[in-house]
Amino acid sequence: MALQDVCGFLDTLDDTGPCTYPPNEMGYMWRTASEFDRDSAFHFLFPPQQCSRKNRVPTLFSSTFSSLSPHQQPFQLSHGTTTLGFIFQDGVIAAADTRASCKGLICCPTSQKIMPIHSHLVVNTSGSGADCMLWERILTREMRLYQLRHRKRLSINGAAKLLSMMLHPFKGTNVCVAATLCGWDGEETRETLNSCMEIAEVKEAVEQDTGVSTISDSALSSVKMASVNEQEILKDAYALNPAVSDQNTKNVLSFGGRSGPRVCYVCSDGLQLKGEIISVGSGSPYAYAVLDDGWRWGMTVDEAVALAREAVFRATHWDAYSGNNVDLFHITAHGWRRRDREDLKEEYYRERERKRKKIKEREKERQKREGDELGEGDIYSVHCG
Amino acid sequence: MMISARAYGDNGKMKEYHYTGPVEHKFSPYAFNGGTVLAVAGEDFALVASDTRLSEGYSIHSRDSPKCYKLTDTTVIGCSGFHGDCLTLTKIIEARLKMYKHSNNKSMTSGAIAAMLSTILYGKRFFPYYVYNIIGGLDEEGRGAVYSFDPVGSYQRDTYKAGGSASAMLQPLLDNQIGFKNMENVEQLPLTLEKAVQLVKDVFISAAERDVYTGDALKICIITKEGIREEIVPLRKD
């Protein structure tokens, strides 16, 4: 089948991992034309082992790789970044800086670290640039194949597991990928979209900072939807039934909500994390500080965007390896939307202006206060005169 | 006589010499041969320029070893780093170009060559080609395109890029002159071919002043829809 050959259908996940090339008649490690055609991304070239291990048969892949003494690479690959992703009541925000550094030199001040995978999923990448580029492409391919085979999109958690499994053979090598998958899970049907519109209006009418109510049976039955989309159900329930209990709501979403916003972190070490706020990179401690302070489940979109922007700005200010611009994506049930790339240099100057104004105002107030106090003191006026 | 790459610091320059005690030298498959490459993309042209010095440690192997290689009528690649890997990599790229031409009956476009090079480089992720590549050419719409790579295949499209030993000196100058970065109240005129060529010559003359691995001569490949033209300009030979 043509598509099967093009995708290397039987090749991809049957591979038990990267393989070494046996020398062929033409010479050492030259690939033949047929091998190029079925270019599975899992065929990597490994250098011959130099020590006295001529006839060693690799049993476990991890032991093979960790015993490979990698040749001293005289160059460094790009690292260092600030990326973040968090969920809130109206979707997911993914933000990142745009600096790609290479051990002290900025290789690229305008790299793109947030890459869309499909209409409802973007991935924030950090770690080595080439690894992230390649693994993001592989993940996109696998997710598209899943969608074609199973006629539904793979969930974010599923995508995280898939990526983690694909990276597992490379554990112990210096592949460095730390990806945050940010997206919206859930089936999209016409009814869902319509009810989203209705609920948006209702939401504006009754918007408050506290969370939404518990699911009650009457609310569920009153909303005729083809799919389980609990965000929408919850909002409608709030309109009908104003008993508020955000604790329950949060539990529902984290322990069993089948759709809604999701953030997942996958690392080439094999670590997988789920949560509400995830930040990765050398600037992440600074970003976490800002996010922890301002994050609320019930934020509006503008508040969330401002919070993400502020977090990246502060991180770029303190972290040497982050900087230049900030990219921001907002993912909702309708898909992802991208905000224009913003140069943080301008923000830095605006901040300085604001500080200067504040200092001036404080000076004025102080002088006024002192002026009032001195109003009666003759001694002082004589002294100044 | 090949000096081990361990004698070099991480930026490719020789480390200071002082005796620290007996040191075990392992065979290193890499060497650093110096050289600088630069590419600029304009509205309807692209330039790829490189110096022609091939050095190793304190010696100069050749004064006439340019680092630009013509791939197709609209694409030129500049490779600097370890000369052995540059030669092999260009051989592999040329072979792949021929295979593509024979099976698809057309030449590869610049974007396609860039994507292919990325996968070739990543195929050797665990024993990389020690080459800094920059591809310059015209895209399908006839506009100039520059693609810059790192040694393991991460790439992106730029307007201008410098690579190689003097890259850290040249890139800020290009940022200022072509990207108009950090300049206030400046009229941003589009870059003409003549101005770009003059800029590249000036930039390499400056690089040759301060970088020991850059010098001897400068070769500029100018890619326009009429074809590829070459210019050779002498540089400092000391």
Side-chain angles (χ1 to χ4, degrees):
Chain A
M1 199 165 61
L3 187 61
Q4 185 176 313
D5 289 333
V6 165
C7 302
F9 179 76
L10 294 169
D11 290 340
T12 45
L13 299 172
D14 274 353
D15 277 343
T16 42
C19 54
T20 53
Y21 272 104
N24 54 26
E25 322 79 57
M26 279 202 291
Y28 196 46
M29 294 182 200
W30 285 91
R31 293 164 82 180
T32 58
S34 58
E35 283 171 314
F36 280 127
D37 282 340
R38 344 164 263 123
D39 206 282
S40 167
F42 291 94
H43 286 128
F44 288 109
L45 184 72
F46 283 95
Q49 297 183 33
Q50 282 187 331
C51 313
S52 55
R53 294 181 235 238
K54 289 249 163 106
N55 297 317
R56 218 178 89 115
V57 173
T59 46
L60 284 165
F61 284 103
S62 46
S63 61
T64 311
F65 300 156
S66 43
S67 64
L68 270 181
S69 47
H71 290 288
Q72 186 78 19
Q73 284 175 13
F75 50 80
Q76 199 74 339
L77 306 168
S78 19
H79 272 76
T81 184
T82 304
T83 70
L84 57 94
F86 61 86
I87 58 176
F88 66 111
Q89 53 90 13
D90 200 14
V92 191
I93 297 280
D97 73 316
T98 60
R99 176 175 288 183
S101 53
C102 189
K103 210 187 182 192
L105 177 68
I106 297 175
C107 316
C108 181
T110 51
S111 62
Q112 198 188 355
K113 298 187 192 179
I114 310 184
M115 296 189 259
I117 303 246
H118 59 65
S119 57
H120 288 71
L121 174 61
V122 305
V123 61
N124 291 358
T125 53
S126 79
S128 160
D131 291 329
C132 290
M133 209 178 254
L134 186 93
W135 287 103
E136 182 266 335
R137 282 174 74 186
I138 294 176
L139 181 68
T140 309
R141 181 186 69 178
E142 292 302 321
M143 291 197 70
R144 179 70 183 145
L145 287 173
Y146 183 95
Q147 190 177 355
L148 289 169
R149 288 173 198 152
H150 297 90
R151 290 207 207 118
K152 67 177 165 84
R153 277 202 305 266
L154 186 57
S155 66
I156 310 295
N157 291 339
K161 284 194 194 107
L162 182 64
L163 184 59
S164 179
M165 201 192 78
M166 291 196 292
L167 284 169
H168 180 68
F170 298 94
K171 190 173 159 72
T173 66
N174 63 350
V175 168
C176 180
V177 175
T180 310
L181 299 166
C182 311
W184 187 284
D185 271 342
E187 293 298 314
E188 274 240 340
T189 60
R190 188 144 300 177
E191 287 96 328
T192 315
L193 283 172
N194 286 340
S195 36
C196 282
M197 306 297 182
E198 289 165 358
I199 285 158
E201 295 165 30
V202 170
K203 189 168 64 107
E204 277 162 29
V206 297
E207 196 172 281
Q208 284 187 25
D209 278 348
T210 52
V212 291
S213 65
T214 54
I215 303 173
S216 57
D217 283 347
S218 56
L220 271 174
S221 55
S222 71
V223 178
K224 297 189 184 71
M225 277 189 221
S227 65
V228 180
N229 192 327
E230 286 172 35
Q231 278 294 320
E232 275 56 53
I233 293 173
L234 290 169
K235 283 182 204 150
D236 206 56
Y238 183 78
L240 297 173
N241 195 352
V244 176
S245 164
D246 16 1
Q247 197 55 40
N248 268 351
T249 309
K250 277 202 189 160
N251 288 342
V252 162
L253 282 166
S254 40
F255 289 122
R258 282 217 307 273
S259 66
R262 288 274 181 280
V263 200
C264 260
Y265 170 72
V266 180
C267 173
S268 49
D269 295 336
L271 179 64
Q272 253 186 285
L273 293 175
K274 301 188 226 306
E276 287 159 348
I277 305 175
I278 291 179
S279 174
V280 184
S282 50
S284 62
Y286 311 106
Y288 272 126
V290 176
L291 288 170
D292 286 337
D293 189 46
W295 184 87
R296 276 182 349 265
W297 175 259
M299 287 192 291
T300 63
V301 176
D302 290 331
E303 282 173 358
V305 165
L307 180 67
R309 225 176 120 265
E310 183 70 14
V312 175
F313 172 58
R314 296 294 167 199
T316 58
H317 182 50
W318 284 108
D319 179 33
Y321 289 98
S322 311
N324 295 101
N325 308 321
V326 57
D327 276 335
L328 221 142
F329 277 68
H330 175 216
I331 305 119
T332 55
H334 305 294
W336 57 258
R337 237 176 357 127
R338 189 195 172 151
R339 201 157 173 271
D340 284 334
R341 174 171 279 194
E342 191 184 338
D343 192 349
L344 289 173
K345 189 177 65 170
E346 308 296 320
E347 181 61 32
Y348 176 69
Y349 288 126
R350 276 197 291 264
E351 170 97 13
R352 227 172 47 168
E353 264 310 303
R354 266 178 266 149
K355 278 204 187 122
R356 210 181 291 156
K357 266 193 218 155
K358 246 191 229 166
I359 291 174
K360 263 196 208 153
E361 275 168 29
R362 266 193 234 129
E363 262 304 305
K364 263 192 227 157
E365 269 181 36
R366 198 173 62 86
Q367 281 174 0
K368 214 176 67 170
R369 252 200 331 264
E370 280 180 7
D372 289 339
E373 283 169 23
L374 299 175
E376 318 227 326
D378 288 314
I379 301 169
Y380 274 92
S381 43
V382 167
H383 190 74
C384 291
Chain B
M1 177 194 75
M2 193 151 91
I3 300 174
S4 162
R6 276 179 197 268
Y8 294 96
D10 286 310
N11 59 354
K13 315 270 192 247
M14 278 290 264
K15 280 203 261 225
E16 301 250 6
Y17 177 76
H18 52 269
Y19 189 65
T20 44
V23 176
E24 184 184 333
H25 285 286
K26 231 171 70 165
F27 169 72
S28 168
Y30 294 116
F32 180 66
N33 294 115
T36 307
V37 183
L38 194 155
V40 177
E43 195 52 48
D44 57 352
F45 66 90
L47 294 180
V48 181
S50 76
D51 72 321
T52 59
R53 174 176 287 182
L54 189 75
S55 49
E56 188 171 352
Y58 290 125
S59 335
I60 295 179
H61 287 314
S62 165
R63 294 190 189 274
D64 187 23
S65 163
K67 295 160 191 65
C68 315
Y69 301 90
K70 175 168 170 276
L71 297 177
T72 65
D73 285 332
T74 53
T75 316
V76 173
I77 188 171
C79 314
S80 71
F82 170 42
H83 195 60
D85 276 345
C86 295
L87 292 174
T88 305
L89 186 63
T90 46
K91 263 191 225 156
I92 291 179
I93 296 172
E94 275 158 17
R96 293 285 299 263
L97 285 176
K98 276 194 204 137
M99 282 158 53
Y100 183 97
K101 185 93 193 273
H102 288 141
S103 44
N104 298 84
N105 202 22
K106 66 180 180 98
S107 312
M108 278 183 102
T109 58
S110 298
I113 297 178
M116 179 184 75
L117 180 57
S118 174
T119 45
I120 294 175
L121 292 171
Y122 201 87
K124 292 236 307 162
R125 168 71 174 81
F126 301 106
F127 182 17
Y129 291 109
Y130 180 16
V131 188
Y132 292 92
N133 296 291
I134 305 183
I135 289 181
L138 300 177
D139 66 8
E140 289 100 331
E141 291 149 26
R143 282 201 289 267
V146 165
Y147 297 92
S148 62
F149 293 78
D150 82 346
V152 277
S154 164
Y155 80 104
Q156 64 164 59
R157 185 169 173 173
D158 290 312
T159 318
Y160 53 87
K161 187 79 178 167
S165 57
S167 60
M169 282 180 227
L170 298 183
Q171 190 66 30
L173 184 53
L174 295 177
D175 281 334
N176 182 270
Q177 291 296 311
I178 305 182
F180 303 106
K181 300 269 173 75
N182 301 310
M183 286 215 275
E184 308 273 325
N185 306 320
V186 175
E187 195 189 343
Q188 297 193 4
L189 298 163
L191 194 64
T192 61
L193 178 57
E194 291 76 23
K195 186 156 186 292
V197 171
Q198 189 52 47
L199 185 65
V200 165
K201 288 179 187 165
D202 290 338
V203 143
F204 265 91
I205 290 170
S206 316
E209 291 289 321
R210 290 288 182 173
D211 182 35
V212 305
Y213 300 105
T214 305
D216 294 331
L218 163 67
K219 179 169 160 185
I220 312 182
C221 299
I222 303 165
I223 307 148
T224 51
K225 61 181 193 303
E226 279 97 42
I228 300 183
R229 201 177 81 224
E230 288 176 5
E231 252 188 70
I232 302 202
V233 173
L235 294 175
R236 286 181 77 114
K237 293 185 173 13
D238 59 358

